[in-house]
Amino acid sequence: MATTAPEQATSRWTKEDARAARKRNAKLHRKEYVWAAAFLAPPVIGWIAFLLFPMAFSVYASFTNWNGLGAMQWIGLQNYVNLFQDPYFWKALWNTLFYMIGIPIGLALSLGLALALSRKIRGRTFFRTVYYIPVISSLAAIAILWQWAYNGDFGLVNQVLALFGIQGPNWLMDPVTAKPALVIMMVWKGLGYSMILYLAAVQAVPRSLYEAAALDGANAWKRFTKITWPMVRPVTFFLVVTNIIGGSMIFTEINIMTPTGGPQWSTASLVWYVWNKAFRNLQMGYATAMALVLGILVLIVTIIQFRLNRANNFSID
Amino acid sequence: MRRMKAAAVAATMAGALTLAACSGSSSGNASEEPDTSGGDAPNELTFMFRGGEYDKLAYEQAIASFEEETGASVTMIITDADQYATKLQAAIAGNKVPDVFYIEPGRMQGYVYANVLADLTSYVEQDVLDNIWDFGVEAYRFDKETGQARTGPLYGLPKDVGPFGFGYNTVMFEKMGIEAPDPDVPLTFDEFVDIAKQLTTDTDGDGELDQWGTGLNVQWNSQAFVWGAGGDWISEDQKTVTVDDPAFAEALQWFADLQLVEQVTPSVEPAQTLDTYQRWMAGEIGFFPVAPWDIATYNAVAEENPDTFGYDVIPYPVANAGDETATWLGSLGIAVAETSKNKDLAAQLAVYLSTDLEAQKILAENKVQIPNIKDYAFGEWIETDAPAAGWPANTEEFLQIADEYGRALPGTWTYAPEWYDEFWVGIDQVLTGQMTAADYAAQVQPNMQSKLDLAWSNAEQAKAQG
């Protein structure tokens, strides 16, 4: 790193020169800092105003008896104590977990569809479009449509079952069938989105890997389990994480298809219960406590998923 | 500090709404939220409401006249019915309260305690009030001190009152040679079951029933039968849950037995859905509810299928001859923000919207509601306008429900309706015969009572905190 510059510098530079240079530099840096701050400010301010502040406020609200309209009354941990003793909270939590059954089913189906539609078959674009239509459709409209499809007497589902001599139940009015009925609808709704992502991932797998495996005598199943599945794993991971987060917030379908939470509360999700407490029964403090518990649970599950994913990481290099 | 708090509350509400709406985020129909804040200039007002195209049409005309008369400038904000309450609460929490807005009587108490609603008592002339349905006026009175509804200062005016009437298929009765029920004297439960049994039959001889006496949704119809038998969900002072009363259990069991014992309804499960609504319009059901908001649809069906469907209104059956018939009566109100900068003008608009004859005529003509104004309803409307517009022969029954015997749904007069919602959670066990009505009522009563107690304690809290 040594150069001749210091020698030359000692002959020319004075303390005043150094000070002036520092000043110039400082001025230059200050300008850069100002610009950096200006560029950073919008997201930081946005994050503070729309995330940190409301979150801190929510945490505070969860320790109060508050109707969402008037003043708050500090009640410490009472909301949390009540919450853990509230059978409806546990039931709503269980219902929400039950809905997650749809995630692996949906992923398996969408991967199957992606594999099928990545082949050169007739009407490929048509099928891709058809499967994607539910994704871009209004959830409220879809919920109403499925509500009719599940109608005990006139519903499409039971009419199809009747063709096979099966007398279908009144899906949304039976505590046993209401949740599975909603799961089927959610899988149908989400299929196109997962399929598109899988399709992109499947098509990105280098052909050379399949060719090499085929030369080594690997059959189709081996090629799927040893090449395709590991190669699409980042997409699977992404879909599992986002589906769990999205699934934990299920609300619209429940509120439209079973507005009272279903027979014997069989379909009420946690977010539906939060909404019900906050806006129908004016217990915003209690609802906030439930929302925070749900948020913490989702956070824990997501951290575990990231840990597991890191442990299973691999590279084709 | 108040601004900071309002901002925080608004942000939190926005977060809650986003959370609730997240699963629907891909619907692709997100639109910009309108500014609900009240007007700033002395003549500016905002009016937030929900409703269909006829509500909009009626109010557009009424507001145009109001603007012309007063020089006011009114901005209308219309929202979807299912999102209205949530949006209003978010607007209130965010200090963006519209000047004039719809309010449901059942949600009013929290708003009164939080000083959101202006006291309209001094803004409305007594003769104006006297000409509106008593129920519609009382529904918006609330006494903060005692916590009692239907008394005290006036915090709103009715946009409408909605009588939930009962009806029968006139064509079916004629075809079966059954005498039409008296439009003035209610059937007794026994008479009702007798007729329902006669109506329940296999008309095409294929060995399967294809016509039934009735098919009623328990959550919207059992009130009339329970009340008609002298039972109720709650005591007069709104402090005790009374579902464990024998009269209540007996009436509820009778209701469940329409299927379980008498078998005069299609089946248990379809009766809980809207299926029977379709069957009723398909001419397969004899007795079914008829409310003003159904009239347009029923008329269209009757016009299309005159051989199978026609209808008229009758009183709900009662347990014994001489008992008083009962049913429920809903209402939606128009309130004014306490914080409105133009409170006088806003109150004037609320009165105008509630009592404007032209607006009432548009809504009644389009079969959205019965008129609010009594002298018009009992005069010109019932005599000429209603028959001309195609309202059923015994439309007067709606007016009697509104004027004389309609009651609010249980839960309307309490701070929150959670205690009442609790009753419906396991009701299917009664309808399917897994439990008797008496056992179910005894089992659910303590839970309902504890939720009612909580509502009262929260009301006290709201009162203390303001």
Side-chain angles (χ1 to χ4, degrees):
Chain A
M1 290 298 284
T3 66
T4 54
E7 221 171 288
Q8 288 172 358
T10 47
S11 59
R12 290 186 199 166
W13 278 54
T14 61
K15 277 183 180 174
E16 282 71 29
D17 290 333
R19 206 174 295 139
R22 273 205 301 275
K23 218 172 172 181
R24 268 201 310 278
N25 272 344
K27 207 174 170 187
L28 190 70
H29 283 145
R30 199 179 310 135
K31 258 190 174 175
E32 282 179 358
Y33 282 132
V34 168
W35 276 111
F39 277 106
L40 284 172
V44 171
I45 291 171
W47 185 79
I48 292 171
F50 295 110
L51 200 76
L52 189 66
F53 194 35
M55 265 179 73
F57 190 84
S58 298
V59 172
Y60 177 77
S62 75
F63 294 114
T64 66
N65 183 6
W66 181 43
N67 63 4
L69 296 164
M72 298 164 159
Q73 181 200 21
W74 180 265
I75 54 168
L77 288 169
Q78 196 55 49
N79 281 333
Y80 291 93
V81 173
N82 293 347
L83 187 154
F84 289 113
Q85 292 168 353
D86 179 356
Y88 287 127
F89 169 77
W90 293 108
K91 192 147 193 195
L93 188 61
W94 160 243
N95 290 343
T96 308
L97 284 175
F98 188 97
Y99 293 134
M100 307 277 179
I101 289 175
I103 297 173
I105 298 170
L107 292 187
L109 288 175
S110 51
L111 180 56
L113 274 176
L115 289 172
L117 294 179
S118 63
R119 290 162 182 268
K120 284 180 181 158
I121 51 168
R122 272 170 73 97
R124 191 167 64 160
T125 316
F126 171 76
F127 284 116
R128 284 180 185 178
T129 313
V130 164
Y131 285 114
Y132 201 71
I133 284 174
V135 182
I136 53 162
S137 305
S138 152
L139 186 57
I142 282 178
I144 292 168
L145 189 129
W146 275 88
Q147 192 179 21
W148 276 106
Y150 280 134
N151 188 297
D153 272 351
F154 301 94
L156 187 66
V157 175
N158 280 1
Q159 284 183 18
V160 171
L161 289 176
L163 293 178
F164 300 97
I166 303 167
Q167 194 188 347
N170 194 348
W171 292 87
L172 297 175
M173 284 299 135
D174 187 327
V176 178
T177 54
K179 265 197 294 285
L182 284 164
V183 169
I184 292 169
M185 192 213 99
M186 289 173 213
V187 167
W188 176 84
K189 162 85 177 155
L191 210 54
Y193 176 71
S194 309
M195 183 200 73
I196 287 286
L197 290 184
Y198 269 135
L199 201 56
V202 166
Q203 287 176 342
V205 178
R207 296 289 105 190
S208 56
L209 294 180
Y210 291 116
E211 286 160 12
L215 284 175
D216 286 345
N219 60 21
W221 177 246
K222 280 267 183 228
R223 289 201 295 276
F224 173 74
T225 54
K226 300 295 179 190
I227 300 171
T228 313
W229 180 242
M231 290 298 284
V232 301
R233 213 176 56 205
V235 171
T236 308
F237 173 68
F238 170 78
L239 286 172
V240 168
V241 171
T242 52
N243 279 345
I244 286 180
I245 294 171
S248 67
M249 293 191 286
I250 178 170
F251 170 79
T252 309
E253 303 91 318
I254 312 294
N255 200 37
I256 291 175
M257 295 172 77
T258 55
T260 56
Q264 294 176 44
W265 245 66
S266 54
T267 62
S269 69
L270 205 47
V271 169
W272 182 86
Y273 190 37
V274 166
W275 172 84
N276 200 36
K277 280 281 186 188
F279 293 103
R280 185 166 160 80
N281 293 306
L282 302 175
Q283 295 171 33
M284 188 64 82
Y286 186 69
T288 313
M290 276 198 287
L292 282 177
V293 170
L294 174 66
I296 289 165
L297 287 176
V298 172
L299 186 68
I300 292 169
V301 171
T302 308
I303 289 171
I304 293 170
Q305 286 172 318
F306 270 90
R307 286 272 159 87
L308 287 176
N309 189 57
R310 207 180 304 153
N312 292 325
N313 235 341
F314 75 100
S315 163
I316 50 173
D317 300 329
Chain B
M1 189 59 205
R2 194 175 157 76
R3 241 169 212 285
M4 287 273 283
K5 192 189 159 199
V9 175
T12 308
M13 291 276 188
L17 284 172
T18 311
L19 182 76
C22 260
S23 55
S25 58
S26 58
S27 59
N29 56 0
S31 58
E32 200 182 319
E33 290 295 318
D35 184 3
T36 56
S37 314
D40 284 322
N43 69 331
E44 274 180 7
L45 293 175
T46 50
F47 171 42
M48 183 166 156
F49 68 111
R50 62 179 165 90
E53 55 177 316
Y54 291 123
D55 294 82
K56 201 175 168 211
L57 177 73
Y59 286 136
E60 265 170 358
Q61 292 191 12
I63 283 171
S65 311
F66 179 79
E67 286 176 327
E68 207 174 297
E69 267 179 41
T70 61
S73 168
V74 182
T75 305
M76 292 165 74
I77 301 165
I78 187 161
T79 74
D80 290 341
D82 59 341
Q83 292 174 6
Y84 179 80
T86 314
K87 284 191 173 173
L88 177 64
Q89 198 164 334
I92 290 167
N95 259 1
K96 290 192 161 196
V97 194
D99 295 296
V100 182
F101 49 94
Y102 276 4
I103 188 151
E104 290 170 30
R107 291 176 182 268
M108 213 177 65
Q109 297 189 20
Y111 293 163
V112 173
Y113 284 132
N115 293 318
V116 173
L117 306 183
D119 179 352
L120 300 180
T121 316
S122 60
Y123 291 96
V124 198
E125 305 287 336
Q126 191 57 45
D127 60 334
V128 172
L129 290 180
D130 289 344
N131 201 16
I132 302 176
W133 306 113
D134 291 348
F135 176 93
V137 175
E138 282 176 10
Y140 302 97
R141 291 193 185 280
F142 183 65
D143 188 337
K144 268 204 247 188
E145 294 313 310
T146 61
Q148 290 298 322
R150 292 171 286 172
T151 177
L154 186 68
Y155 291 100
L157 286 162
K159 172 257 169 192
D160 67 8
V161 295
F164 197 71
F166 201 49
Y168 70 102
N169 184 333
T170 50
V171 176
M172 186 190 288
F173 271 63
E174 211 169 300
K175 268 190 198 166
M176 300 286 294
I178 299 170
E179 194 186 340
D182 191 310
D184 298 319
V185 182
L187 295 167
T188 64
F189 284 0
D190 290 342
E191 288 167 346
F192 175 74
V193 170
D194 278 347
I195 298 175
K197 278 182 177 169
Q198 292 175 55
L199 293 170
T200 306
T201 180
D202 169 19
T203 57
D204 59 9
D206 68 352
E208 284 189 19
L209 292 176
D210 48 27
Q211 181 175 290
W212 294 268
T214 190
L216 304 169
N217 178 299
V218 68
Q219 208 167 338
W220 301 108
N221 289 276
S222 55
Q223 297 85 353
F225 295 102
V226 168
W227 289 335
D232 206 341
W233 275 256
I234 193 166
S235 60
E236 185 61 27
D237 66 359
Q238 305 291 311
K239 293 200 171 165
T240 311
V241 174
T242 55
V243 297
D244 50 353
D245 175 52
F248 182 99
E250 209 175 306
L252 184 64
Q253 190 62 58
W254 176 87
F255 186 93
D257 286 347
L258 288 175
Q259 164 60 29
L260 296 174
V261 177
E262 314 294 354
Q263 301 193 322
V264 292
T265 71
S267 71
V268 180
E269 286 166 339
Q272 296 169 56
T273 68
L274 290 177
D275 292 7
T276 48
Y277 177 68
Q278 299 296 328
R279 289 191 190 281
W280 155 254
M281 290 192 291
E284 297 175 5
I285 280 183
F287 291 103
F288 204 73
V290 179
W293 50 88
D294 293 317
I295 300 295
T297 309
Y298 291 175
N299 283 1
V301 176
E303 200 173 315
E304 207 173 308
N305 307 302
D307 297 338
T308 55
F309 187 75
Y311 71 99
D312 201 5
V313 188
I314 49 170
Y316 264 96
V318 292
N320 303 298
D323 287 352
E324 276 187 35
T325 182
T327 188
W328 58 267
L329 180 62
S331 180
L332 192 58
I334 303 170
V336 169
E338 174 66 14
T339 52
S340 171
K341 289 178 184 148
N342 304 314
K343 213 194 289 183
D344 291 358
L345 191 61
Q348 207 176 324
L349 175 62
V351 176
Y352 199 90
L353 293 175
S354 177
T355 58
D356 177 55
L357 186 60
E358 289 311 310
Q360 293 292 308
K361 280 186 174 178
I362 291 173
L363 292 168
E365 189 187 332
N366 290 297
K367 302 165 199 81
V368 175
Q369 65 178 65
I370 60 168
N372 255 351
I373 309 163
K374 279 199 280 189
D375 59 9
Y376 169 61
F378 280 120
E380 189 186 341
W381 187 69
I382 198 70
E383 278 157 22
T384 54
D385 290 358
W391 284 73
N394 190 28
T395 292
E396 194 161 355
E397 194 66 34
F398 287 144
L399 303 188
Q400 282 169 14
I401 296 171
D403 197 37
E404 292 166 19
Y405 67 85
R407 310 184 193 186
L409 281 169
T412 306
W413 308 133
T414 53
Y415 179 74
E418 195 177 18
W419 66 271
Y420 177 62
D421 294 344
E422 177 76 17
F423 182 76
W424 305 112
V425 172
I427 193 69
D428 59 303
Q429 298 168 89
V430 178
L431 301 175
T432 53
Q434 293 168 49
M435 278 182 106
T436 64
D439 287 348
Y440 178 72
Q443 184 196 62
V444 80
Q445 197 276 347
N447 290 341
M448 291 173 74
Q449 186 62 53
S450 76
K451 283 186 166 28
L452 179 62
D453 294 342
L454 177 68
W456 274 100
S457 120
N458 283 341
E460 285 298 320
Q461 165 69 22
K463 181 179 161 186
Q465 299 287 318

